[in-house]
Amino acid sequence: MTQHAKSWTLKPGAMTLADLRAVWAAPAKLILAAEAYPVIEASAAAVQAIVAKGDAAYGINTGFGLLAKTRIPDEKLEQLQRNLILSHSVGTGELLSDAVVRLIMLMKIGSLARGFSGVRPQIVDTLIALYNAGIMPAIPAKGSVGASGDLAPLSHMTLAMLGVGEVRVNGELMAAPEALAQAGIAPVVLAAKEGLALINGTQVSNALALHGLFMAERLLEAAMVTGALSLDAAKGSDAPFDARVHAVRGQPGQILAAQMYRQLVAHSAIRASHLEGDERVQDPYSLRCQPQVMGACLDLIGNAGRTLLIEANAVTDNPLIFQDGPNGQAEIVSGGNFHAEPVAFAADTLALAISEIGALAERRIALLIDATLSGLPPFLVRDPGVNSGFMIAHVTAAALASENKSLAHPASVDSLPTSANQEDHVSMATFAGRRLDDMAHNTAVIVGIELLAAAQGIDFHRPLKTSPHLEHVHHQLRQRVPFFDADRFFAPDIEAAKQMVLRGELSTTCKSLFAPLYA
């Protein structure tokens, strides 16, 4: 996908993670590459040929799931596809965010446009028109098991194309017929195979997992910054970041993380002040082992990203139309690309990384408030006793870290048969991806509290300064949150720090340092 000003040209099968991050972050006009249309048209023509020939073909002129043996007469094929969407629109729960819905629509457009799904160009163009008009289908978050496609949520997406149900425009809910009329978009009438092609696929599971991936990337950056800040606040040693230590182990994420920590703390006057005469031989693990833990998280996040990118470009509906069948004729093949096991595994590993990022940050908060370990005032406040300082902020961090441990239990190990045991093993990828948002917000709070605590520790070392990178972060925070000189209403401070983490503001002056994360 190439960017031109505020528009994107989508080349099916060729999206990058950078493309997907951009779509997740902000809307932009989407244009489908012209070369996609001939293959879409050929695939649609193959479906019409199958209908004309009269042979039974799953999802084209038969029922669905266990009803696949039920033959549907030609005059009811349009009704079959419409009924499929209406009956499968059974989602529940809160609506998915616009950022996630944009990813869903983009990936569905890209999948259909590869020309293996048998839909007409009109279907793809209608979905593009909704996307470009900012008409986001109202998709409930719950109701998919991540196999046979994300049937329920993708049905809710398709309802908007039919002019049924509700959509969201500029953050406000409105009736789909009204929104389509205002945008000059005609509702579609689904032809043979088209409803099934729209709702079969892993796009919802993958969009949720991609959302978790992009959140995890921001958390990783932020927690490396706050971890480095905590190191200086506690007058820790940067010796454990020595490149030789990590080279002899050989883990690539660890080597890269150590390099980043060295750069983050470089030229710190606080560090220089205790290079000699420090009685401590070794720091606690939450300071000393940051490259080992965060490097492992970095590797997991990178591996998950590679899997999810493949899935974003994939064709995952069923059945599929291939133009290279016997005697050069199109052939329809039933398979199982809708099974989202790769996405479930990727989401589960992201959950591990997000949980560990928060768990390590919580331990550093505990270290900083403990005067016997940090050398700082108890609970990071003057006149402790009268003031509780960071005592209960740490309790909040501990509560969220504990919650994340439960949420990190792998979703992919569960399966409940559906469709009268026709669909007898499912991935649970949709939940695997969906729970990442809760986990990411929990971890953002923990890292935000660490940011506040570490900055407080730095202030106690004045007039000494930390490194240039970390001084900038400290300055950014102090523009929003003043020094904690005595007990005050603390929740707004924590929220402000959390938002800095979620917006990626802790790495604004050192983006090049973190560039290898996105290589």
Side-chain angles (χ1 to χ4, degrees):
M1 187 158 53
T2 55
Q3 187 175 15
H4 304 287
K6 293 185 178 180
S7 66
W8 296 94
T9 299
L10 170 62
K11 294 184 178 181
M15 287 186 288
T16 67
L17 279 176
D19 296 329
L20 294 164
R21 279 190 206 96
V23 167
W24 172 73
K29 183 180 179 183
L30 178 65
I31 301 168
L32 182 61
E35 58 266 29
Y37 283 97
V39 295
I40 298 172
E41 291 165 353
S43 184
V47 170
Q48 294 307 312
I50 290 168
V51 171
K53 188 176 180 182
D55 292 341
Y58 175 72
I60 295 178
N61 51 19
T62 72
F64 308 103
L66 202 64
L67 301 176
K69 295 179 181 179
T70 303
R71 180 65 184 273
I72 309 299
D74 290 356
E75 64 272 16
K76 292 187 176 181
L77 294 184
E78 288 183 357
Q79 181 185 347
L80 171 71
Q81 296 300 313
R82 183 179 177 84
N83 286 353
L84 173 71
I85 304 307
L86 297 175
S87 67
H88 285 49
S89 296
V90 293
T92 188
E94 294 184 3
L95 299 182
L96 297 178
S97 69
D98 285 358
V100 171
V101 174
R102 283 197 301 271
L103 286 172
I104 294 168
M105 296 173 77
L106 174 71
M107 290 187 290
K108 179 55 74 174
I109 291 164
S111 177
L112 296 177
R114 287 190 59 187
F116 297 98
S117 300
V119 304
R120 295 166 295 162
Q122 176 191 356
I123 298 299
V124 178
D125 286 342
T126 299
L127 202 49
I128 293 172
L130 290 174
Y131 181 99
N132 287 339
I135 298 173
M136 299 289 104
I139 304 177
K142 299 181 182 182
S144 175
V145 296
S148 293
D150 289 309
L151 297 172
L154 286 173
S155 292
H156 284 274
M157 179 199 75
T158 306
L159 282 180
M161 301 173 65
L162 305 182
V164 177
E166 289 187 314
V167 296
R168 192 164 49 215
V169 180
N170 297 323
E172 300 293 329
L173 284 174
M174 63 188 303
E178 179 185 353
L180 266 64
Q182 288 181 3
I185 301 171
V188 299
V189 176
L190 298 172
K193 175 70 168 63
E194 290 178 342
L196 186 60
L198 283 161
I199 70 172
N200 242 210
T202 62
Q203 287 79 27
V204 174
S205 294
N206 208 49
L208 289 165
L210 283 167
H211 172 73
L213 172 75
F214 301 147
M215 296 281 276
E217 291 171 345
R218 289 188 177 180
L219 294 170
L220 183 74
E221 284 189 4
M224 292 181 76
V225 170
T226 59
L229 202 62
S230 290
L231 182 82
D232 248 7
K235 288 193 171 180
S237 172
D238 58 356
F241 305 155
D242 188 309
R244 294 168 296 180
V245 172
H246 308 283
V248 297
R249 191 181 201 184
Q251 293 289 351
Q254 177 180 326
I255 292 169
L256 181 56
Q259 174 188 321
M260 293 174 177
Y261 280 113
R262 289 195 300 275
Q263 293 175 271
L264 282 169
V265 300
H267 311 298
S268 165
I270 295 175
R271 175 57 180 142
S273 73
H274 62 98
L275 277 171
E276 297 180 3
D278 195 331
E279 295 180 354
R280 293 171 296 183
V281 177
Q282 291 184 331
D283 292 325
Y285 291 177
S286 60
L287 297 178
R288 191 192 341 157
C289 298
Q290 290 186 76
Q292 288 78 5
V293 177
M294 299 299 277
C297 292
L298 191 159
D299 283 336
L300 280 185
I301 291 169
N303 289 337
R306 285 184 282 275
T307 295
L308 298 179
L309 177 60
I310 292 170
E311 195 75 1
N313 285 300
V315 180
T316 56
D317 61 294
N318 177 66
L320 300 176
I321 312 296
F322 295 97
Q323 303 292 343
D324 57 354
N327 302 317
Q329 300 296 311
E331 184 177 10
I332 185 164
V333 180
S334 288
N337 282 359
F338 49 69
H339 198 297
E341 195 82 340
V343 179
F345 283 167
D348 280 348
T349 58
L350 285 171
L352 296 177
I354 291 170
S355 181
E356 282 299 274
I357 290 169
L360 195 65
E362 182 276 324
R363 288 291 80 206
R364 291 191 296 266
I365 299 167
L367 183 155
L368 291 174
I369 65 173
D370 186 340
T372 62
L373 292 174
S374 68
L376 296 165
F379 301 108
L380 299 171
V381 69
R382 297 190 180 104
D383 199 8
V386 173
N387 294 302
S388 295
F390 280 70
M391 179 189 296
I392 306 305
H394 169 248
V395 172
T396 295
L400 297 176
S402 179
E403 183 177 309
N404 273 355
K405 292 174 186 178
S406 295
L407 288 171
H409 179 83
S412 57
V413 298
D414 187 30
S415 176
L416 280 175
T418 58
S419 193
N421 281 311
Q422 171 73 6
E423 297 153 7
D424 56 354
H425 182 276
V426 299
S427 72
M428 298 298 177
T430 325
F431 170 65
R434 178 166 55 82
R435 68 37 156 108
L436 297 177
D437 184 70
D438 284 342
M439 296 185 69
H441 278 268
N442 286 346
T443 294
V445 173
I446 299 169
V447 175
I449 292 171
E450 184 188 11
L451 172 62
L452 295 168
Q456 189 81 354
I458 296 297
D459 283 326
F460 282 121
H461 295 314
R462 295 305 190 204
L464 294 175
K465 290 187 175 183
T466 183
S467 72
H469 282 313
L470 299 179
E471 279 294 333
H472 179 80
V473 172
H474 183 277
H475 177 70
Q476 282 183 298
L477 176 66
R478 286 290 173 253
Q479 288 182 314
R480 296 165 175 82
V481 179
F483 176 76
F484 197 96
D485 57 349
D487 283 353
R488 61 175 183 252
F489 182 25
F490 207 170
D493 296 356
I494 294 172
E495 180 62 24
K498 174 192 175 184
Q499 292 305 319
M500 289 180 69
V501 171
L502 290 176
R503 290 193 292 262
E505 293 180 9
L506 306 195
S507 56
T508 51
T509 63
C510 49
K511 283 296 181 186
S512 60
L513 188 157
F514 291 107
L517 295 178
Y518 309 105

